[in-house]
């Protein structure tokens, strides 16, 4: 501190006073401050001023507390700021402080003048009954009157957080709902000076109220008394005395956690619905293209046939066969669309009967023969027949779809291997190709409606992304399971497991984990 003259001057002052250096370390405190704070000069000298600040308010970085107060002082145009300080024995003390700063020979000096606010009881040391009698002093009815009781009841039971503050501005009353929102206790909240809060938006509201204006706050609020983060909406209003002066304010706080989560849920559903609409729109575009594709070659061939017949020329049977192939393709696409919508509506009928799976595989292979082009198809199966209970028509559809995909997504001169086997209580069919394969992250999605792998362009392969969706529904309704193992560029193997006729309600085998996805194809 400066010279002894000043020290004596400070000692003579009745107001408690603390002097600090520019780093907010204590240089000196006068006897009045020693008495008020219970600390001696010896104990505090050189210590940061923040040692006098309760932990819960010490979100400042320790050294910037006084600067924070200096900032507040400017905001309040010089009015004292009410804060809590820690007495030596640990109790909290509410004081009004005025902070000033000046440059001296030894650098910056900060003077802190402390004053006990005479009008407020020391809430922190008082039992709650005393606190509430202090609250009564602010209530609009005389203590104990019927009006006062009614006011108290409304205040306490309102389904919103309510609090009342004076011009300091210190909270003088709050209801339980408010305490719950803040997550702390009345003891900590009542007596809290709102200017010690960190939230600039709240401070702006408080300032507005003290200036006689209403204010509104909405956002995530972190309570200083319990460090609880809550999304809130708060309305603030000034309270005017009879002389028209602002006597303080009230705050109405609403915890909007539930509304927020309901809103988040609504947004999520909305986004999902939008996504579903987008997927459906994309699908309609793709489906229209797919359905149109066979029409052009079909009509060309029919026109050519018509011309020949008009000229009485001999009709080339290949023309007719090609025309029919395009019609069959069109019919298959339409059937897939119909089946998918039947599945959606829960109306895809299956007709179960004892049947031989090997016979159905052979039938699918024979039908496919015309389409296999230069592909080699290897088929292996057990000597004896494989008997299951199933819908032969629908299972042929499943097998045909797997074979078509294997041909469609693999090079023309490669081999497709079809294997039928018996594993425990199950018939296990696999269709393996040497084609483009399927990225791992898409292997589950393949079986979803409309799913077409992203690496497959529309024009090169065609397809509606419905075949595997329909196949999975059919296989699972047989009590079976369908899955794929694949690596990009190394082909894909689709497996279908179906319960044997002899088996009673067996559990379908688990697909092997994806890491095991070795291939029969090499
Ligand atoms: P699509 O009619 O489009 O082929 P599917 O439901 O049968 O519809 O197949 C869905 C998607 O799965 C296909 O678009 C393709 O990307 C992928 N896929 C199916 N089988 C194979 C396979 N054997 N090899 C590589 N990708 C395949």
């Amino acid at each position: 501190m400066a010279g002894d003259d000043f020290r004596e001057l400070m000692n003579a002052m009745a107001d408690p006073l603390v002097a600090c250096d520019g780093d907010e370390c204590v240089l000196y405190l006068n006897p009045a401050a020693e008495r008020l704070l219970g600390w001696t000069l010896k104990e505090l000298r050189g210590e940061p001023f923040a040692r006098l600040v309760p932990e819960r308010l010490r979100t400042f970085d320790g050294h910037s507390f006084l600067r924070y107060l200096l900032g507040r002082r400017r905001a309040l145009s010089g009015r004292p700021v009410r804060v809590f300080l820690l007495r030596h024995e640990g109790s909290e003390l509410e004081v009004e402080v005025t902070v000033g700063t000046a440059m001296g020979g030894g650098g910056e000096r900060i003077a802190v003048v402390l004053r006990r606010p005479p009008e407020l009881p020391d809430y922190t040391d008082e039992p709650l009954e005393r606190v509430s009698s202090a609250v009564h002093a602010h209530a609009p009815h005389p203590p104990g009157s019927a009006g006062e009781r009614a006011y108290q009841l409304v205040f306490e039971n309102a389904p919103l957080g309510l609090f009342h503050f004076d011009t300091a501005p210190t909270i003088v009353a709050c209801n339980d709902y408010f305490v719950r929102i803040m997550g702390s206790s009345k003891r900590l909240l009542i007596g809290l000076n709102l200017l010690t809060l960190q939230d600039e938006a709240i401070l702006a509201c408080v300032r507005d109220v003290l200036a006689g204006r209403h204010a509104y706050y909405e956002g995530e609020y972190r309570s200083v008394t319990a460090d609880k983060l809550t999304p809130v909406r708060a309305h603030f209003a000034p309270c005017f005395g009879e002389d028209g002066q602002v006597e303080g304010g009230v705050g109405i706080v609403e915890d909007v956690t539930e509304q927020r989560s309901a809103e988040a849920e609504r947004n999520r559903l909305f986004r999902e619905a939008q996504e579903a609409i987008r997927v459906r729109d994309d699908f309609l575009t793709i489906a229209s293209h797919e359905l149109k594709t066979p029409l052009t070659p079909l009509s060309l061939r029919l026109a050519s046939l018509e011309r020949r017949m008009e000229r009485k020329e001999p009709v080339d049977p290949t023309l007719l066969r090609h025309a029919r192939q395009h019609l069959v393709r069109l019919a298959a696409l339409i059937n897939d669309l119909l089946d998918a919508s039947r599945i959606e509506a829960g109306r895809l009928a299956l007709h179960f009967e004892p049947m031989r799976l090997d016979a159905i595989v052979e039938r699918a292979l024979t039908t496919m023969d015309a389409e296999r082009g230069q592909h080699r198809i290897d088929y292996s199966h057990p000597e004896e027949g494989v008997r299951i209970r199933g819908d032969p028509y629908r299972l042929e559809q499943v097998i045909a779809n797997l074979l078509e995909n294997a041909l469609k997504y693999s090079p023309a001169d490669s081999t497709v291997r079809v294997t039928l086997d018996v594993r425990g209580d199950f018939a296990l069919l696999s269709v393996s190709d040497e084609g483009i394969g399927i990225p791992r992250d898409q292997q589950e999605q393949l079986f979803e409606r409309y799913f077409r792998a992203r690496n497959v362009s529309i024009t090169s392969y065609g397809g509606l992304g419905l075949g595997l969706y329909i196949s999975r529904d059919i296989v699972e309704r047989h009590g079976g399971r369908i899955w794929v193992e694949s690596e990009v560029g190394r082909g894909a193997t689709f497996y279908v497991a179906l319960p044997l006729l002899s088996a009673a309600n067996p559990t379908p085998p688990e697909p092997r984990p994806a890491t095991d996805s070795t291939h029969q194809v090499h």
Side-chain angles (χ1 to χ4, degrees), residues 329 333 336 401-410 431-433 435-439 442 445-448 450-456 461-471 484 486 491-494:
R329 170 88 190 126
L333 288 172
D336 275 1
N401 180 48
L402 295 182
L403 288 170
E404 260 171 41
N405 281 348
L407 297 175
K408 195 158 72 173
Y409 298 113
S410 67
V431 177
S432 213
D433 65 57
I436 58 174
I438 300 146
Q442 296 177 10
Q445 293 169 281
L446 291 189
F447 300 94
E448 286 169 17
Y450 308 150
F451 185 83
R452 299 152 51 94
R454 287 184 287 279
N455 60 343
V456 177
Y461 293 102
L464 294 175
L466 290 176
L468 289 175
Y469 168 70
I470 298 166
S471 299
V484 65
S486 173
T493 304
F494 283 82

Side-chain angles (χ1 to χ4, degrees), residues 294 297-299 301-302 305 316-332 367 370-371:
L298 180 62
S299 85
R301 280 167 182 80
L302 288 179
L305 274 172
D316 181 357
T318 44
L319 264 183
L320 270 177
R321 196 171 61 243
H322 285 159
R324 204 175 66 83
Q325 276 168 357
H326 289 297
L327 265 182
V328 167
R329 170 88 190 126
L330 199 56
T367 313
E371 289 176 37

Side-chain angles (χ1 to χ4, degrees), residues 128 174 179-180 182-190 225-226:
L128 274 179
C174 64
V179 173
R180 271 209 302 284
M182 296 300 134
S184 62
S185 67
K186 261 197 181 151
R187 190 171 269 277
L188 285 177
L189 286 164
I190 293 180
T225 46

Side-chain angles (χ1 to χ4, degrees), residues 357 361 379 399 402 418-421 427-431 494-498:
L357 188 58
V361 176
Y379 175 43
I399 298 160
L402 295 182
V418 181
T419 312
L420 181 60
D421 229 336
L428 185 66
L429 175 76
S430 66
V431 177
F494 283 82
Y495 294 91
V496 175
L498 293 164

